[in-house]
Amino acid sequence: MKILEKAPAKINLLLDVLRKRDDGYHEVEMVMTMVDLADRLEMQELPRDTIVISSQVGFIPLDEKNLAFQAARLIKDRYAVKQGVYIHLDKNIPVAAGLAGGSSDAAATLRGLNRLWKLGISTEELMRLGAELGSDVPFCIAGGTAIARGRGEQLEQIGAPPQCWVVLAKPPINVSTVEVYSKLRADRIVRHPSLPAMTEAIGAQSFERICSLLGNVLEDVTLSLYPEVHHLKSCMQKLGADGVLMSGSGPTVFGLVAKESKAARIYNGLRGFCKEVYAVRMLT
Ligand code: ATP
């Protein structure tokens, strides 16, 4: 039997850091939602007790460093599954981009293997398992739109934002999440985005207010380290996106756009100098 699972990318409509905790982690407040840009995972049972990963892209690890591999091993260990699995990752989400591609693959693997091996694990339990793999994984299992607190693993589901186009562009650079967080001075953030205002704007389905309230406190750090990201953000603004923000720790920048014709114009304008550009729908 073959199981197919979609692993969509996430974007942060809001990312705030409240403080650095004594355990070294940052206390965050985020609003996360999913977009219709997804990896596709194919899972097939193997008679031998082994986990085999393949992908059409050559630049991601296929061994135990792959988050899908780690998810498969976790579920096999915890539920004493003796069969093995072959997982093919059809990667469409740019890698190391701030779009949680690896976390979403891990989430899709947990969901898929639960079905393949008929384990009957509840969504809540899958989310608890996912938290052991990474703080974005529980959100990727639940999907939808959510406020995330703590290290990002405490989730509160909220209604979806209004439907719109999302143009994503990733400059050809690698950003280290660890470096961005280490350079952030949580006690010196001048302007915190407002979570209550954003939650209210989403509840009221006000596209204009959502666009004006977009905020990510990691932007200043990444933009100062990588001028390319700053340039991309300015271009998207000049091309007329209704709201523009960097996702996660970057380097992907996304623009929210109400009109399809404008989304197409922005997409074409960016394609001239940026190779990785996507125009997709928000998943609502
Ligand atoms: P986040 O938004 O959670 O920080 P990201 O979008 O920045 O995630 P990923 O695409 O998840 O980053 O990749 C980060 C690193 O994880 C990559 O450099 C890659 O080597 C490794 N990795 C492990 N598993 C995967 C996977 N299934 N897909 C992509 N990268 C993976």
Coordinates of all heavy atoms in Angstrom, one line a residue, residues 10 12 39 41 53 57 59-70 89 91 93-106 135-137 174-175 177 247-252, ligand 1:
K10 N 4.7 27.0 6.0 CA 4.0 27.9 6.9 C 4.6 29.3 6.7 O 5.8 29.4 6.3 CB 4.1 27.5 8.3 CG 5.5 27.6 9.0 CD 5.7 28.8 9.8 CE 7.2 29.3 9.6 NZ 8.1 29.6 10.5
N12 N 4.8 33.2 8.9 CA 4.5 33.9 10.1 C 3.8 35.3 9.8 O 4.5 36.1 9.1 CB 5.7 34.2 11.0 CG 6.4 32.9 11.4 OD1 7.3 32.4 10.7 ND2 6.0 32.4 12.5
D39 N 5.4 20.3 -0.1 CA 6.1 19.1 -0.5 C 5.1 17.9 -0.6 O 4.0 18.0 0.1 CB 7.1 18.7 0.6 CG 8.3 19.7 0.7 OD1 8.4 20.5 -0.2 OD2 9.0 19.7 1.8
L41 N 4.7 13.8 0.0 CA 5.4 12.6 0.5 C 4.7 11.4 0.1 O 3.5 11.3 0.2 CB 5.5 12.7 2.1 CG 6.6 13.6 2.7 CD1 6.1 15.1 2.6 CD2 6.8 13.3 4.1
I53 N 15.0 7.0 2.9 CA 14.4 8.2 2.4 C 15.1 8.6 1.0 O 16.3 8.4 0.8 CB 14.8 9.4 3.3 CG1 14.5 9.1 4.8 CG2 14.2 10.7 2.9 CD1 13.1 9.5 5.3
V57 N 15.6 16.3 -4.8 CA 16.6 17.3 -4.7 C 17.9 16.7 -4.0 O 17.8 15.9 -3.1 CB 16.2 18.6 -3.9 CG1 15.1 19.3 -4.6 CG2 15.7 18.2 -2.5
F59 N 20.3 18.3 -2.3 CA 21.0 19.0 -1.3 C 20.4 19.0 0.1 O 20.6 19.9 0.9 CB 21.2 20.5 -1.7 CG 19.9 21.1 -2.3 CD1 18.9 21.6 -1.4 CD2 19.7 21.1 -3.6 CE1 17.8 22.1 -1.9 CE2 18.5 21.6 -4.2 CZ 17.6 22.1 -3.3
I60 N 19.6 18.0 0.4 CA 19.1 17.8 1.8 C 19.6 16.4 2.3 O 19.9 15.5 1.5 CB 17.6 17.8 1.9 CG1 16.9 16.8 1.0 CG2 17.1 19.2 1.6 CD1 15.4 16.6 1.4
P61 N 19.8 16.3 3.6 CA 20.3 15.0 4.1 C 19.2 13.9 3.9 O 18.1 14.2 4.1 CB 20.6 15.3 5.6 CG 19.7 16.5 5.9 CD 19.6 17.3 4.6
L62 N 19.6 12.7 3.6 CA 18.6 11.6 3.5 C 18.8 10.6 4.6 O 18.1 9.6 4.6 CB 18.8 10.9 2.1 CG 18.6 11.9 0.9 CD1 18.9 11.2 -0.4 CD2 17.2 12.4 0.9
D63 N 19.7 10.9 5.5 CA 19.9 9.9 6.6 C 19.2 10.4 7.9 O 18.2 11.1 7.8 CB 21.4 9.8 6.9 CG 22.1 11.2 7.1 OD1 21.3 12.2 7.3 OD2 23.3 11.3 7.2
E64 N 19.7 10.0 9.0 CA 19.0 10.3 10.3 C 18.9 11.9 10.6 O 18.2 12.3 11.5 CB 19.6 9.6 11.5 CG 21.0 9.9 11.9 CD 22.0 9.1 11.0 OE1 21.6 8.3 10.2 OE2 23.2 9.4 11.1
K65 N 19.6 12.7 9.8 CA 19.5 14.1 9.9 C 18.2 14.6 9.3 O 17.8 15.8 9.6 CB 20.7 14.8 9.3 CG 22.0 14.6 10.1 CD 23.0 15.6 9.6 CE 24.4 15.1 9.9 NZ 24.9 14.1 8.9
N66 N 17.6 13.9 8.4 CA 16.4 14.3 7.8 C 15.2 14.2 8.8 O 15.1 13.2 9.5 CB 16.1 13.5 6.6 CG 15.0 14.1 5.7 OD1 13.9 14.3 6.1 ND2 15.4 14.5 4.5
L67 N 14.4 15.3 8.9 CA 13.3 15.3 9.9 C 12.3 14.2 9.6 O 11.6 13.8 10.6 CB 12.7 16.7 10.0 CG 13.5 17.6 10.9 CD1 13.2 19.1 10.5 CD2 13.2 17.4 12.3
A68 N 12.1 13.9 8.3 CA 11.1 12.8 8.0 C 11.6 11.5 8.6 O 10.9 10.7 9.1 CB 10.9 12.7 6.5
F69 N 12.9 11.3 8.4 CA 13.6 10.0 9.0 C 13.4 10.0 10.5 O 12.9 9.0 11.1 CB 15.1 10.0 8.6 CG 15.8 8.8 9.1 CD1 16.2 7.9 8.1 CD2 16.1 8.5 10.4 CE1 16.9 6.7 8.5 CE2 16.8 7.4 10.8 CZ 17.2 6.5 9.8
Q70 N 13.6 11.1 11.2 CA 13.5 11.2 12.6 C 12.1 10.9 13.1 O 11.8 10.3 14.1 CB 14.0 12.5 13.2 CG 15.5 12.8 13.0 CD 15.9 14.2 13.3 OE1 15.2 14.9 14.0 NE2 17.0 14.6 12.8
L89 N 10.4 12.1 -0.8 CA 10.1 13.5 -0.5 C 10.2 14.2 -1.9 O 11.3 14.4 -2.4 CB 11.1 14.1 0.4 CG 11.3 13.6 1.8 CD1 12.4 14.3 2.6 CD2 10.0 13.7 2.6
K91 N 10.3 17.5 -3.0 CA 10.4 18.8 -2.3 C 10.1 20.0 -3.3 O 10.6 20.1 -4.4 CB 11.9 19.0 -1.9 CG 12.4 18.2 -0.8 CD 12.0 18.5 0.6 CE 12.2 19.9 1.1 NZ 11.6 20.1 2.4
I93 N 9.0 23.1 -1.4 CA 9.3 24.2 -0.4 C 10.8 24.5 -0.4 O 11.6 23.5 -0.3 CB 8.8 23.8 1.0 CG1 7.3 23.4 1.0 CG2 9.0 25.0 1.9 CD1 6.9 22.9 2.4
P94 N 11.2 25.7 -0.6 CA 12.6 26.0 -0.6 C 13.2 25.6 0.8 O 12.5 25.7 1.8 CB 12.7 27.5 -0.8 CG 11.3 28.0 -1.1 CD 10.4 26.9 -1.0
V95 N 14.4 25.1 0.7 CA 15.1 24.6 2.0 C 15.7 25.7 2.7 O 16.3 26.6 2.1 CB 16.1 23.5 1.6 CG1 16.9 23.0 2.7 CG2 15.3 22.3 0.9
A96 N 15.7 25.6 4.1 CA 16.3 26.6 5.0 C 15.9 28.0 4.6 O 16.7 28.9 4.4 CB 17.8 26.5 4.9
A97 N 14.6 28.1 4.5 CA 14.0 29.4 4.0 C 13.2 30.2 5.0 O 12.7 31.3 4.7 CB 13.1 29.0 2.8
G98 N 12.9 29.6 6.1 CA 12.0 30.2 7.1 C 10.5 29.8 6.8 O 9.6 30.4 7.3
L99 N 10.4 28.7 6.1 CA 9.0 28.2 5.7 C 8.7 26.9 6.4 O 7.7 26.3 6.0 CB 8.9 28.1 4.2 CG 9.1 29.5 3.4 CD1 9.2 29.2 1.9 CD2 8.0 30.5 3.8
A100 N 9.5 26.4 7.3 CA 9.3 25.2 8.0 C 9.1 23.9 7.2 O 8.3 23.1 7.5 CB 8.1 25.4 9.0
G101 N 9.8 23.9 6.1 CA 9.7 22.7 5.2 C 10.0 21.4 5.9 O 9.3 20.5 5.7
G102 N 11.1 21.4 6.6 CA 11.5 20.1 7.3 C 10.5 19.8 8.3 O 10.1 18.6 8.5
S103 N 10.0 20.7 9.1 CA 9.0 20.5 10.1 C 7.7 19.9 9.5 O 7.1 19.0 10.1 CB 8.7 21.7 10.9 OG 9.9 22.3 11.5
S104 N 7.4 20.5 8.4 CA 6.1 20.1 7.7 C 6.3 18.6 7.2 O 5.4 17.8 7.2 CB 5.7 21.0 6.6 OG 4.4 20.9 6.3
D105 N 7.5 18.3 6.7 CA 7.7 16.9 6.3 C 7.6 16.0 7.4 O 7.1 14.9 7.3 CB 9.1 16.8 5.6 CG 9.3 17.5 4.3 OD1 8.2 17.9 3.8 OD2 10.4 17.7 3.8
A106 N 8.2 16.4 8.6 CA 8.1 15.5 9.8 C 6.6 15.3 10.2 O 6.2 14.2 10.5 CB 8.9 16.2 10.9
S135 N 10.0 22.6 17.5 CA 8.9 23.4 18.1 C 7.8 23.8 17.0 O 6.7 24.2 17.3 CB 9.4 24.6 18.8 OG 10.4 25.2 18.1
D136 N 8.2 23.7 15.7 CA 7.2 24.0 14.7 C 6.4 22.8 14.2 O 5.4 23.0 13.5 CB 7.9 24.6 13.4 CG 8.2 26.0 13.5 OD1 7.7 26.7 14.4 OD2 9.0 26.5 12.6
V137 N 6.8 21.6 14.7 CA 6.1 20.4 14.2 C 4.7 20.3 14.7 O 3.8 20.0 13.9 CB 7.0 19.1 14.5 CG1 6.3 17.9 13.9 CG2 8.4 19.3 13.9
N174 N 21.9 31.4 2.5 CA 21.5 30.6 3.6 C 21.5 31.4 4.9 O 22.6 32.0 5.2 CB 22.4 29.4 3.7 CG 22.2 28.4 2.5 OD1 21.0 28.2 2.1 ND2 23.2 27.9 2.0
V175 N 20.4 31.4 5.6 CA 20.4 32.1 6.8 C 20.4 31.1 8.0 O 19.6 30.2 7.9 CB 19.1 33.0 6.9 CG1 18.9 33.6 8.3 CG2 19.2 34.1 5.9
T177 N 19.2 30.2 11.5 CA 18.3 30.6 12.5 C 19.0 30.8 13.9 O 18.7 31.8 14.6 CB 17.2 29.5 12.7 OG1 16.6 29.2 11.4 CG2 16.1 29.9 13.7
S247 N 9.5 35.9 6.5 CA 9.0 34.8 7.3 C 10.0 34.1 8.2 O 11.2 33.9 7.8 CB 8.4 33.7 6.4 OG 7.7 32.7 7.1
G248 N 9.6 33.8 9.4 CA 10.6 33.2 10.4 C 11.9 34.0 10.5 O 11.8 35.2 10.6
S249 N 13.0 33.3 10.5 CA 14.3 34.0 10.5 C 14.8 34.3 9.1 O 15.9 34.7 9.0 CB 15.3 33.1 11.3 OG 15.4 31.9 10.7
G250 N 14.0 34.1 8.1 CA 14.3 34.4 6.7 C 15.0 33.2 6.1 O 15.1 32.2 6.6
P251 N 15.5 33.5 4.8 CA 15.5 34.7 4.1 C 14.3 35.0 3.2 O 14.2 35.9 2.5 CB 16.7 34.7 3.3 CG 16.8 33.2 2.9 CD 16.3 32.5 4.1
T252 N 13.3 34.1 3.3 CA 12.1 34.2 2.4 C 11.3 35.5 2.8 O 11.0 35.7 4.0 CB 11.2 33.0 2.4 OG1 12.0 31.9 2.0 CG2 10.0 33.2 1.5
Ligands
ATP1 P1 12.2 26.7 10.0 O1 11.3 27.7 9.4 O2 11.5 25.7 10.9 O3 13.4 27.4 10.6 P2 13.4 26.3 7.6 O4 12.4 26.5 6.5 O5 14.3 27.4 7.9 O6 12.7 25.8 8.9 P3 14.1 23.7 6.6 O7 13.7 23.7 5.2 O8 13.3 22.9 7.5 O9 14.4 25.1 7.2 O10 15.6 23.1 6.6 C1 16.6 23.4 7.6 C2 17.7 22.4 7.5 O11 17.2 21.1 7.9 C3 18.2 22.2 6.1 O12 19.5 22.9 6.0 C4 18.4 20.7 5.9 O13 19.7 20.3 5.9 C5 17.8 20.1 7.2 N1 16.6 19.1 6.9 C6 16.3 18.1 7.6 N2 15.3 17.4 7.1 C7 14.8 18.2 6.1 C8 13.7 18.0 5.2 N3 12.9 17.0 5.2 N4 13.6 19.0 4.2 C9 14.4 20.0 4.2 N5 15.5 20.2 5.0 C10 15.7 19.3 5.9

